[in-house]
Amino acid sequence: MRHVSWIIALVIGFSVGFFSRGAIDGRGARPPVGTPAQRPARPVEDPRAVYRVPVDDTPLRGPSDALVTIVESSDFECPFCKRVGPTLKQLEEAYPGKLRFSFRNNPLPFHARALPAAIAAEEARAQGGDAKFWAMHDKLFELAPALDDASIERAAQEIGLDAAKVKEAIASGKYKERIQRDQQLVQSVGAPATPSFFINGRKVAGAQPLETFRGIVDEELKKAQALVQGGTPAAQVYAKIMEAASPRPVFLPTAPGQPAPQGAAPAPQAPAAPAPAALYRKVPLRPDDPARGPADAKLTVVLFSDFQCPFCGRVEPTLKQLEEAYPGQLRIVWKHQPLPMHQDAMPAALAAEAAREQGKFWQMHDKLFENQRALDAASVAGHAKAIGLDARKFEQAVQSKKYEARIQEDMRLGSSVGANGTPTLFFNCRQVVGAQPLDRMRAVADEELKKADALLKGAKPDARFYDRACDANIAAAPAAPVPAAAQAPAPGPVQKVDVRPDDPVRGNPKAPVTIVLFSDFQCPFCARVGPTLEEVQRTYGDKVRVVWKHQPLPFHQQALPAAEAAEAAREQGKFWQMHDKLFASQRELSPDAFTRIAREIGLDAKKFEASVQSGKARARIQQDQQLAASVGAQGTPTMFVNGERVVGAVPFEQLKAVIDRQLAKR
């Protein structure tokens, strides 16, 4: 979620971490006055722990088959980050051809120029790939701490970038979401400070001397060489290491009776491969969904995926291994779920659908995953030619976005069944999230095939068996507990959120529960909450209404114009039709797109254009923004359920818990 409070939270987290070290005794706690210190010793992080820090879709430097990957988490204004640069160069020279470097942004909030510099580096990558990123990376550290706009623009010109685009990217905050994702990742594995490094997943904090880095690199080289000798291709060593890596901090075992730190991973133990906990959701299929395998298979795996998602690329070989392991028993069914942060995902999905129209979906599917870094229009047209498609028909289908509605139908289905991330799979409607290793996938497949055999009782399955198996699984499954992350938060203060008589409303105007939604048409998380609210209205019917409030964020250039277009549509009684079309076209919002959508939904074009051009809706939109500020809706989406605040694109279960709490008060 885009939310300005992430900066505040990071400052608070840093302050707490810093001052706790100065204000406590040497063992991690302040003893009460006049009493002996009896608190347990401060937990110690395991120095040999391996953390899950993927390098997919990050800037990379060095050979792809390097045995050691070093991920740098850094801040361009941080003096210690600058100081460690020469050490990394020495390290690279000491191990020629053996090291690969990756970069994760972590601009600290008290460095005012760190975020603009990070945006400039990301824009450099957008203009010239990884080579330009690293050129800008080096220039920025060379300039630091002089990272004012003029200096950054000069640096851009010196390395051959379009400086105007760099300036525009900084002004618009173009890559903030991507940078925030980097920060969330490194914080989740206990690396909030800069610089931090991960050497094949091993954490190194701070600007350490060369000897420290060399010691860990030497150890990791030996491990990597052992993997290669055991049959792992050199280019897959890092991915292999990441399979068993921890997604959160790992601490050494505590003394008997002492609890592990909250949120910490347990100390490493022998790896196991249990099947993930079972959660079942009914996933309906279309007759023409892309499918591979027999229609009467005992086990159907429905895959929600994204052609640009690196983890989706990683799961593909695993699925092929499953098909080989269960010949004739397994069917794979594809569902589209192009994520909003992947710019080429929707165009790639449209290309796959255009290929499906000509009977070659899977050939295009394979080409797109084989060339995940080449999903631009020209490359995809080349893929179409390579698999023998009729080029004219293909281009017409892609350019007209003929199958966009079909893809969006898959996306809505995915959101409704909990497939918000990719890849998400359903084995006879049993959910498996992420690119799990083969042994875990096989564990699930074995369990579901065993249940299928019990259901068949020796009979042969038919084309309707998938529905039977799903229904049986859902009927037999116990009610799934709501995970902690999806539980409703403790009730907070109830805010009075004024609603105008003419505010856009969906649902029963007299519903006992009102959800006031502050949203932004360009915000990807706002698009993600839409299917959740649709599920709310399907579930609760006349008991819930949704009221729209505008909150166009300043770093979304098209958010305010889109809000004005929606208001112009509201004047003609078609706010929600415009609302739906704007979110469906979120990647291409522009004045031309607004005019096109106005025609599509049957607006009086002359009245629409006059309304937009007059700017008369801005005062109303600003009223919504002022209201948002007064009730604490700083980011989008923010909802108020009968005045109780819910922040972000939360899952249906969490929103349901808040609604149920409000209904119980009636």
Side-chain angles (χ1 to χ4, degrees):
M1 185 198 71
R2 290 188 179 272
H3 199 302
V4 296
S5 68
W6 70 271
I7 296 177
I8 297 169
L10 187 55
V11 172
I12 292 171
F14 180 87
S15 302
V16 170
F18 179 84
F19 288 111
S20 65
R21 284 162 173 78
I24 58 182
D25 70 358
R27 294 177 297 169
R30 183 198 299 276
V33 176
T35 63
Q38 299 294 329
R39 301 293 179 93
R42 186 191 305 178
V44 177
E45 189 170 3
D46 187 344
R48 307 192 71 81
V50 176
Y51 292 107
R52 189 175 302 155
V53 186
V55 297
D56 306 290
D57 202 30
T58 66
L60 294 170
R61 188 180 77 239
S64 61
D65 60 352
L67 295 183
V68 173
T69 295
I70 299 177
V71 180
E72 172 189 2
S73 169
S74 201
D75 167 320
F76 289 108
E77 198 178 355
C78 160
F80 301 100
C81 302
K82 179 172 181 172
R83 185 181 303 170
V84 81
T87 304
L88 297 178
K89 297 284 186 190
Q90 288 176 285
L91 198 65
E92 194 171 12
E93 292 167 2
Y95 298 89
K98 296 180 179 179
L99 303 183
R100 175 177 62 160
F101 292 83
S102 167
F103 189 92
R104 291 276 183 183
N105 291 289
N106 191 10
L108 301 181
F110 41 82
H111 287 154
R113 300 303 302 171
L115 180 57
I119 292 171
E122 288 296 330
E123 174 61 24
R125 186 180 180 217
Q127 290 188 35
D130 290 357
K132 289 296 185 185
F133 172 90
W134 290 107
M136 178 61 89
H137 166 282
D138 293 346
K139 273 287 183 185
L140 292 170
F141 276 128
E142 180 184 316
L143 289 170
L147 295 173
D148 54 284
D149 286 346
S151 297
I152 292 175
E153 288 171 38
R154 280 197 303 273
Q157 290 172 339
E158 288 173 10
I159 66 172
L161 298 179
D162 184 332
K165 287 185 177 179
V166 173
K167 182 179 180 180
E168 181 182 341
I170 293 172
S172 66
K174 185 175 181 181
Y175 301 99
K176 278 188 178 180
E177 279 185 358
R178 177 189 182 85
I179 292 164
Q180 286 177 247
R181 289 199 303 274
D182 278 358
Q183 292 183 295
Q184 290 163 0
L185 173 67
V186 296
Q187 288 171 37
S188 72
V189 292
T194 57
S196 294
F197 303 88
F198 297 87
I199 303 175
N200 275 7
R202 296 266 302 279
K203 188 188 300 181
V204 176
Q208 298 292 337
L210 178 63
E211 292 73 24
T212 300
F213 284 98
R214 291 194 66 152
I216 298 177
V217 167
D218 287 340
E219 290 180 10
E220 293 307 311
L221 272 174
K222 290 179 182 177
K223 294 181 193 174
Q225 287 163 354
L227 286 173
V228 172
Q229 290 170 2
T232 302
Q236 295 178 23
V237 163
Y238 190 76
K240 182 70 174 177
I241 291 169
M242 289 297 99
E243 288 179 2
S246 175
R248 58 194 190 278
V250 178
F251 293 83
L252 292 173
T254 55
Q258 284 188 354
Q262 187 173 7
Q269 297 179 357
L279 175 66
Y280 295 90
R281 296 287 180 87
K282 186 63 181 285
V283 185
L285 306 180
R286 303 185 194 91
D288 60 348
D289 274 331
R292 203 169 62 215
D296 60 352
K298 291 181 185 178
L299 179 58
T300 294
V301 179
V302 181
L303 169 66
F304 286 86
S305 194
D306 168 320
F307 288 110
Q308 198 177 354
C309 160
F311 300 99
C312 299
R314 188 177 299 171
V315 84
E316 288 294 322
T318 305
L319 291 175
K320 285 185 167 40
Q321 288 175 290
L322 277 183
E323 290 175 284
E324 293 168 3
Y326 303 95
Q329 301 182 74
L330 188 69
R331 172 176 60 158
I332 307 291
V333 178
W334 174 275
K335 293 284 189 181
H336 296 284
Q337 184 66 304
L339 300 180
M341 70 280 288
H342 290 154
Q343 292 184 333
D344 293 326
M346 176 62 88
L350 289 167
E353 282 296 309
R356 182 184 64 83
E357 184 180 58
Q358 297 188 43
K360 293 191 174 183
F361 172 88
W362 290 107
Q363 293 93 319
M364 177 61 81
H365 162 282
D366 293 347
K367 278 287 184 184
L368 293 170
F369 275 122
E370 287 167 12
N371 299 276
Q372 265 196 321
R373 291 179 182 261
L375 296 178
D376 57 281
S379 297
V380 171
H383 304 333
K385 182 178 180 181
I387 64 174
L389 295 182
D390 181 313
R392 186 177 177 184
K393 286 183 180 178
F394 174 80
E395 285 300 324
Q396 285 177 342
V398 171
Q399 293 299 324
S400 68
K401 299 185 178 178
K402 183 176 180 180
Y403 294 103
E404 186 173 41
R406 176 189 176 93
I407 294 165
Q408 288 168 353
E409 184 180 332
D410 279 357
M411 294 168 69
R412 287 192 293 271
L413 173 62
S415 296
S416 72
V417 297
N420 295 307
T422 56
T424 298
L425 307 92
F426 292 87
F427 287 63
N428 280 0
C429 291
R430 175 177 175 172
Q431 188 181 60
V432 175
V433 178
Q436 299 288 340
L438 177 63
D439 53 357
R440 293 199 178 191
M441 295 282 202
R442 287 196 67 156
V444 175
D446 288 340
E447 289 183 15
E448 295 307 320
L449 282 169
K450 185 176 180 180
K451 286 192 278 185
D453 287 334
L455 186 63
L456 287 166
K457 297 178 181 178
K460 290 185 177 181
D462 57 20
R464 293 172 295 177
F465 181 70
Y466 167 72
D467 289 324
R468 285 181 58 204
C470 282
D471 292 342
N473 273 338
I474 291 167
V482 178
Q487 292 174 0
V494 173
Q495 297 278 2
K496 185 177 186 299
V497 186
D498 294 327
V499 175
R500 305 183 191 90
D502 60 348
D503 274 334
V505 175
R506 262 182 171 160
N508 175 17
K510 297 182 179 180
V513 173
T514 295
I515 299 175
V516 180
L517 169 67
F518 288 88
S519 193
D520 169 319
F521 287 110
Q522 200 175 352
C523 161
F525 300 96
C526 298
R528 192 176 298 173
V529 84
T532 303
L533 290 173
E534 290 175 10
E535 187 173 358
V536 163
Q537 295 198 291
R538 285 194 300 270
T539 302
Y540 290 95
D542 287 345
K543 295 179 180 178
V544 174
R545 67 171 178 162
V546 176
V547 179
W548 174 275
K549 294 283 188 181
H550 296 286
Q551 176 66 318
L553 299 180
F555 40 80
H556 285 153
Q557 291 183 318
Q558 294 300 325
L560 178 57
E564 291 179 301
E567 282 298 309
R570 185 184 62 82
E571 290 178 4
Q572 298 188 44
K574 292 191 175 184
F575 172 87
W576 291 107
Q577 294 93 319
M578 176 63 78
H579 163 282
D580 293 348
K581 285 281 189 179
L582 289 171
F583 276 122
S585 305
Q586 200 177 50
R587 291 179 176 85
E588 53 185 31
L589 297 179
S590 68
D592 288 344
F594 305 147
T595 301
R596 172 180 56 79
I597 293 170
R599 290 197 301 268
E600 289 174 0
I601 64 175
L603 296 183
D604 181 312
K606 189 174 180 180
K607 286 183 180 178
F608 174 81
E609 287 296 332
S611 177
V612 170
Q613 294 298 325
S614 71
K616 64 181 179 180
R618 289 202 176 188
R620 179 185 178 96
I621 294 166
Q622 288 170 354
Q623 286 176 4
D624 283 355
Q625 291 177 299
Q626 290 163 0
L627 176 62
S630 70
V631 297
Q634 296 167 305
T636 57
T638 297
M639 295 171 278
F640 290 87
V641 183
N642 279 6
E644 186 177 331
R645 188 171 64 177
V646 177
V647 178
V650 298
F652 170 75
E653 290 81 3
Q654 182 172 335
L655 193 55
K656 180 179 185 298
V658 179
I659 295 168
D660 289 343
R661 184 159 64 209
Q662 292 299 322
L663 285 171
K665 296 178 181 179
R666 308 299 296 180

